[in-house]
Amino acid sequence: MATADTHRTIEAVWKIEAPRLIAGLARMLRDVGQAEDLAQEALVVALERWPVDGVPDNPGAWLMTTAKRRAIDLIRHHKMRDDKQAALEYELETEAMTHAPDHADALDDDIGDDLLRLIFTACHPVLGRDMQVALTLRMLGGLTTPEIARAFLVPEATVAQRIVRAKRTLAAKHVPFEVPRGGELAPRLASVLEVVYLIFNEGYTATAGADWARPVLCEEAMRLGRVLAGLAPREPEVHGLLALMEIQASRLHARTAADGTPILLLDQDRSRWDRLLIRLGLAGLERAGKLGGADGNYALQAAIAACHARALHAGDTDWAKIASLYARLAEMAPSPVVELNRAVAVAMAEGPQAGLELVDALRSERALANYHLLPSVRGDLLFKLGRRDEARVEFERAAALTDNAREAELLRRRAAVCSDQ
């Protein structure tokens, strides 16, 4: 195999195995930062040796064994407990470096628990949200620092600093490498799901930059969601979030024209929606309901997305049901943004004047003061009511508030249409 092909193979293997590798090492060392450093060292060794020796039959196990050997060296260097060193040495002595049937079993020992511990550690509340996102994408998404920087349009140095600060904070605070239990589980799980959904949303509609969407972030968020669903199969909100992401992601190919211009929901070619993702999402939504989570935050949002997915044509959309689902969501998780979305649904179900009255009631909400979608929605409703001068002002204000170049361009075009008529 050519060196370039080997390197591509290593990149693919690393993407898959990195979370498992870091999780297994973190269980041994009880230090996430050291675990990632050792995993990276094993990757460097693979880059040096595999082009010469060939890719091993079980690349993941090879990486784990190599990293474990380096862990022992680290333990020796720091003169950690003799019994810990002896236990690790004995474990390695019973493993062969290659072609050993025990490799897969050794790699899979407690791996589910280890991955779950790693997820909760990366999203620990002692870390700021930016640090949680960066660490999650680095350790669980397998993204490099430059890839994360490109995805969020921030300097590489900023991402690197966030990751370093996150590791130092976890070490300084002596955060245990464990899954929270009892009453601590629910709020911590909610934080994990929030981080995953934040990553997805940034991919689905980028907050800044020249691209309307960044599909790679959506794909990473869905992959993390599937890992969580496999590790916590009895948690309805996990299935609700995964269902929501899959149904939303089904529209990605239809959301932009060939030149990158955004295409709004009602104007999309629904034949381009990914029916497989829709089926997966609907099945996940049903699973969340069977687990008693039909009224969960993410399950309700998934149910709203499902209403769009089931409508083969925009005119078939059950807007009355969507409005009622938003009303339930507003009761369960009150938010001005939820109320704004409910106003849109009400406008579609009952007419633009009914929607405008709800939107106008939100204009004093401080949380929406600089939220570009408030004037965007208001402009749309005013346009439908024939109040085009007022609509133009709202579209122009919305364009000034967004940092996404594609969205700003779309809003300015809508403002221009108001002036033309």
Side-chain angles (χ1 to χ4, degrees):
M1 184 183 294
T3 299
D5 292 336
T6 303
H7 283 174
R8 282 193 291 270
T9 300
I10 294 171
E11 289 176 7
V13 168
W14 176 253
K15 186 86 168 181
I16 296 169
E17 299 294 345
R20 294 157 59 91
L21 188 59
I22 296 168
L25 292 167
R27 171 167 53 89
M28 293 164 53
L29 298 169
R30 300 290 162 176
D31 187 315
V32 171
Q34 285 186 346
E36 202 220 357
D37 290 343
L38 290 176
Q40 290 283 346
E41 289 180 21
L43 173 64
V44 171
V45 175
L47 288 168
E48 293 172 350
R49 292 181 55 177
W50 291 6
V52 177
D53 300 340
V55 178
D57 292 339
N58 192 330
W62 190 99
L63 289 167
M64 180 64 86
T65 301
T66 301
K68 281 183 177 180
R69 292 189 183 279
R70 290 179 175 263
I72 287 179
D73 291 339
L74 183 65
I75 290 168
R76 285 173 177 157
H77 178 72
H78 291 293
K79 297 181 180 179
M80 294 176 71
R81 295 195 310 269
D82 291 341
D83 58 342
K84 179 71 172 178
Q85 177 180 324
L88 285 170
E89 288 177 336
Y90 175 79
E91 180 183 353
L92 281 175
E93 286 170 2
T94 61
E95 296 177 2
M97 176 62 80
T98 56
H99 309 297
D102 289 339
H103 269 314
D105 293 337
L107 192 62
D108 287 336
D109 282 349
D110 299 321
I111 196 66
D113 286 343
D114 286 346
L115 278 173
L116 199 55
R117 292 185 190 106
L118 183 59
I119 291 172
F120 276 99
T121 301
C123 299
H124 196 281
V126 300
L127 303 178
R129 185 64 77 220
D130 287 344
M131 287 191 286
Q132 289 178 343
V133 169
L135 197 62
T136 298
L137 286 173
R138 174 66 173 268
M139 292 190 171
L140 290 152
L143 271 65
T144 64
T145 298
E147 286 172 335
I148 299 170
R150 283 197 299 272
F152 284 93
L153 300 180
V154 295
E156 288 182 32
T158 299
V159 173
Q161 187 180 45
R162 288 173 184 172
I163 293 171
V164 169
R165 286 207 324 267
K167 293 178 188 176
R168 287 177 178 169
T169 301
L170 292 173
K173 297 291 186 180
H174 303 290
V175 172
F177 185 67
E178 63 184 15
V179 176
R181 305 293 178 186
E184 295 182 359
L185 177 59
R188 288 282 302 280
L189 179 61
S191 178
V192 170
L193 297 180
E194 185 179 348
V195 169
V196 173
Y197 193 37
L198 186 153
I199 293 169
F200 179 86
N201 274 336
E202 183 60 32
Y204 191 73
T205 303
T207 54
D211 296 320
W212 175 240
R214 301 188 187 112
V216 66
L217 287 181
C218 293
E219 291 166 6
E220 287 304 324
M222 286 190 291
R223 191 178 68 79
L224 290 171
R226 291 178 185 124
V227 170
L228 276 171
L231 299 176
R234 303 299 302 172
E235 293 292 339
E237 275 289 73
V238 172
H239 295 291
L241 174 58
L242 180 55
L244 171 60
M245 293 190 296
E246 287 174 335
I247 296 172
Q248 294 280 70
S250 71
R251 308 175 199 155
L252 278 172
H253 295 302
R255 293 185 75 236
T256 55
D259 62 357
T261 301
I263 302 175
L264 299 178
L265 177 63
L266 298 183
D267 299 323
Q268 289 171 17
D269 178 358
R270 300 191 176 206
S271 68
R272 298 187 66 202
W273 288 5
D274 189 323
R275 307 315 297 184
L276 174 58
L277 278 177
I278 289 173
R279 288 196 297 273
L280 289 172
L282 293 178
L285 178 58
E286 183 179 359
R287 194 172 302 117
K290 288 180 178 178
L291 290 169
D295 282 329
N297 185 350
Y298 298 112
L300 283 172
Q301 292 183 66
I304 292 167
C307 288
H308 294 294
R310 292 189 179 105
L312 297 180
H313 305 282
D316 299 332
T317 307
D318 190 343
W319 287 104
K321 182 176 181 180
I322 291 175
S324 69
L325 286 168
Y326 271 122
R328 285 166 59 188
L329 183 61
E331 292 177 4
M332 196 280 299
S335 160
V337 174
V338 172
E339 288 296 341
L340 180 60
N341 287 324
R342 185 173 75 87
V344 172
V346 168
M348 296 299 295
E350 302 176 16
Q353 184 59 46
L356 183 61
E357 290 172 6
L358 294 176
V359 170
D360 284 346
L362 296 172
R363 296 178 74 186
S364 60
E365 288 282 352
R366 292 181 61 185
L368 300 180
N370 295 309
Y371 187 53
H372 71 283
L373 290 182
L374 177 62
S376 175
V377 169
R378 192 166 188 272
D380 183 66
L381 297 177
L382 289 168
F383 183 85
K384 290 176 178 176
L385 289 168
R387 296 161 60 178
R388 288 181 168 78
D389 288 340
E390 294 172 80
R392 176 181 52 77
V393 172
E394 295 293 336
F395 286 135
E396 289 173 348
R397 180 167 183 270
L401 287 174
T402 182
D403 290 323
N404 185 283
R406 292 289 187 180
E407 193 167 22
E409 180 184 357
L410 173 66
L411 290 163
R412 285 192 292 269
R413 283 205 307 272
R414 299 201 69 187
V417 169
C418 294
S419 300
D420 292 343
Q421 297 188 16

